[in-house]
Amino acid sequence: MPMLKHLTTLIFLFTGLGVSQHAIGQSGYFDKWPTGSSPKEIGKRLAENFVKRDFEYTSGKREFVIYPEACAWYGALNVAGEIRDRDLSSRLVRKFDLFLTPDGFKHVSQQAHVDYRVFGIVPLELFLQTKDKKYLDLGQSFADKQWEKTTPDGITAEARYWIDDMYMITALQVQSYRASHDPKYFDRAAKTMAAYLDKLQQPNGLFFHAPDAQFYWSRGNGWEAAGMAELLLVLPKYHPLRPRILDGYRKMMASLLKYQGEDGLWNELIDHPEAWPETSGTGMFTFAMITGVRNGWVPAKTYGPAARKAWLGLIKHIDENANVMDVCEGTNKGFSVQYYLDRKKLTGDLHGQAAALWSAMALLR
């Protein structure tokens, strides 16, 4: 009887902290990894790959830091923090030093565009890890500028109703909430997410690339899945839009379950069996699914094995230098199936590096 009473008390304490009994029992899917496949080992390799890279603007490829660099940096910082690798964390922090100088900062675009605003997630993560206020002020400036101009319904005028936006906007506002604890940031993100769900999510749970690009492109859907997962992590249970967003998330996960390949991956066009298995979308779905299992948003018995299979399938596409292979090239919205099927497969592209880092991050959290 004393033992039973003690167990009951523990369960009460866990559920009182917002950790469901369902989530407590899911850990078996995410441990006992085959040799060389643990998230700690893979995450470390991926983060080391990123920290050693030059920024793409240094090669003249572009003028500004671009969103895949910010997304991979965010993932690398989280992995380093979770594995408590102080040396790696320190190098990732120092990588930002040049942007604190006038010459460096000129490569941070001030354009009112989601692809550039998302840079703010990096200084916000640096603040969360170092508590240095200079990072907070800089990161929040991107989040607040994003809402300087809004539509009549209170959504940022930067919204294009491309599904990519639902990571770029959401991640920035969520990170601003994590750093400041000001609920206006998750309110902004939730309102925008609900609008995108209403406009772009289809009855099968997946998302068109854009209203006039009616294709289920893998990475586009991946941005949406990852954005919902990040938002649900911070959105309070009492928030009026949480049921809508959670419903959208669950519908998407149910559809993804149907389309997952035997190798654990999802195709570059999700619903086209002739399309090739693609790693950036797969990595984002893996992150979102692991996060859902971890937090009890979806049944662990159903989604735990699928998420594990996705991780083990994904890491088979990482080469000896920790470059992710079979990453779809940068892709504007298209207007034919063939357009998407013809997209190039890249190795080491940061869209894929970021997604794999997020998957490791989710397993390590």
Side-chain angles (χ1 to χ4, degrees):
M1 284 298 290
M3 180 65 73
L4 180 61
K5 182 178 179 181
H6 181 62
L7 180 60
T8 304
T9 302
L10 282 175
I11 292 173
F12 174 78
L13 286 172
F14 273 115
T15 54
L17 289 170
V19 181
S20 70
Q21 295 176 47
H22 178 90
I24 294 167
Q26 52 71 35
S27 60
Y29 299 112
F30 302 141
D31 55 18
K32 298 180 182 177
W33 298 105
T35 301
S37 66
S38 73
K40 182 176 182 179
E41 181 177 343
I42 299 294
K44 165 80 169 172
R45 291 179 58 214
L46 291 165
E48 289 286 357
N49 175 295
F50 175 77
V51 76
K52 295 170 185 173
R53 291 186 182 220
D54 291 329
F55 293 102
E56 291 186 2
Y57 71 78
T58 62
S59 66
K61 184 176 181 179
R62 54 178 45 88
E63 184 178 358
F64 302 112
V65 178
I66 191 64
Y67 66 92
E69 294 176 309
C71 293
W73 203 345
Y74 167 72
L77 280 164
N78 272 276
V79 165
E82 292 293 341
I83 65 176
R84 295 178 173 83
D85 188 327
R86 292 184 179 180
D87 175 66
L88 176 57
S89 292
S90 178
R91 285 181 283 135
L92 287 163
V93 171
R94 291 199 305 270
K95 195 174 176 74
F96 198 85
D97 287 350
L98 70 95
F99 297 116
L100 300 175
T101 69
D103 282 347
F105 196 67
K106 69 184 181 183
H107 293 290
V108 178
S109 177
Q110 302 303 305
Q111 184 179 342
H113 192 291
V114 298
D115 288 354
Y116 294 122
R117 297 287 198 214
V118 76
F119 176 83
I121 67 176
V122 177
L124 288 165
E125 186 60 33
L126 292 174
F127 169 74
L128 287 166
Q129 295 196 20
T130 69
K131 306 307 178 186
D132 189 330
K133 193 171 182 296
K134 68 174 178 281
Y135 298 124
L136 174 63
D137 293 340
L138 178 58
Q140 274 192 293
S141 72
F142 287 92
D144 290 336
K145 286 175 183 175
Q146 190 163 67
W147 247 257
E148 283 180 349
K149 186 177 180 182
T150 58
T151 59
D153 54 0
I155 293 172
T156 173
E158 294 176 19
R160 305 169 297 174
Y161 287 98
W162 292 22
I163 41 179
D164 312 47
D165 302 353
M166 280 300 90
Y167 185 81
M168 310 303 168
I169 294 171
T170 304
L172 177 58
Q173 299 301 320
V174 165
Q175 279 287 90
S176 295
Y177 168 72
R178 287 173 172 148
S180 70
H181 304 291
D182 187 334
K184 73 180 180 184
Y185 293 112
F186 65 59
D187 280 336
R188 290 172 177 176
K191 184 180 291 187
T192 309
M193 180 66 75
Y196 273 65
L197 286 168
D198 290 345
K199 192 160 187 172
L200 292 176
Q201 191 172 33
Q202 301 307 301
N204 69 357
L206 300 178
F207 293 78
F208 288 150
H209 194 169
D212 58 345
Q214 298 184 358
F215 304 94
Y216 301 127
W217 177 46
S218 181
R219 184 161 69 241
N221 276 266
W223 291 123
E224 179 71 49
M228 283 193 286
E230 287 282 16
L231 179 54
L232 287 167
L233 282 171
V234 304
L235 200 61
K237 291 183 178 180
Y238 62 77
H239 196 282
L241 289 175
R242 184 178 175 88
R244 174 71 185 96
I245 295 164
L246 185 57
D247 179 66
Y249 168 85
R250 286 172 172 161
K251 285 179 178 176
M252 185 181 206
M253 293 301 108
S255 189
L256 289 174
L257 206 60
K258 298 174 185 176
Y259 288 109
Q260 187 179 24
E262 287 300 315
D263 59 357
L265 276 68
W266 284 268
N267 288 350
E268 190 254 349
L269 278 179
I270 295 171
D271 59 334
H272 281 259
E274 75 275 22
W276 43 282
E278 199 276 329
T279 52
S280 67
T282 291
M284 295 177 186
F285 298 146
T286 305
F287 162 75
M289 197 172 285
I290 292 165
T291 304
V293 173
R294 286 264 192 235
N295 290 277
W297 306 332
V298 289
K301 287 184 179 180
T302 302
Y303 291 90
R308 182 182 177 89
K309 183 168 74 169
W311 169 256
L312 292 173
L314 174 64
I315 64 175
K316 291 178 182 176
H317 294 256
I318 300 175
D319 70 16
E320 66 276 9
N321 297 313
N323 289 309
V324 180
M325 302 178 288
D326 302 313
V327 182
C328 181
E329 66 179 312
T331 299
N332 207 324
K333 60 183 181 178
F335 303 101
S336 70
V337 169
Q338 198 60 47
Y339 168 81
Y340 289 95
L341 296 181
D342 289 343
R343 308 311 289 160
K344 294 177 184 175
K345 300 179 185 180
L346 303 180
T347 295
D349 182 88
L350 282 166
H351 292 90
Q353 302 296 126
L357 279 160
W358 298 348
S359 297
M361 173 180 79
L363 287 168
L364 290 164
R365 277 177 169 168

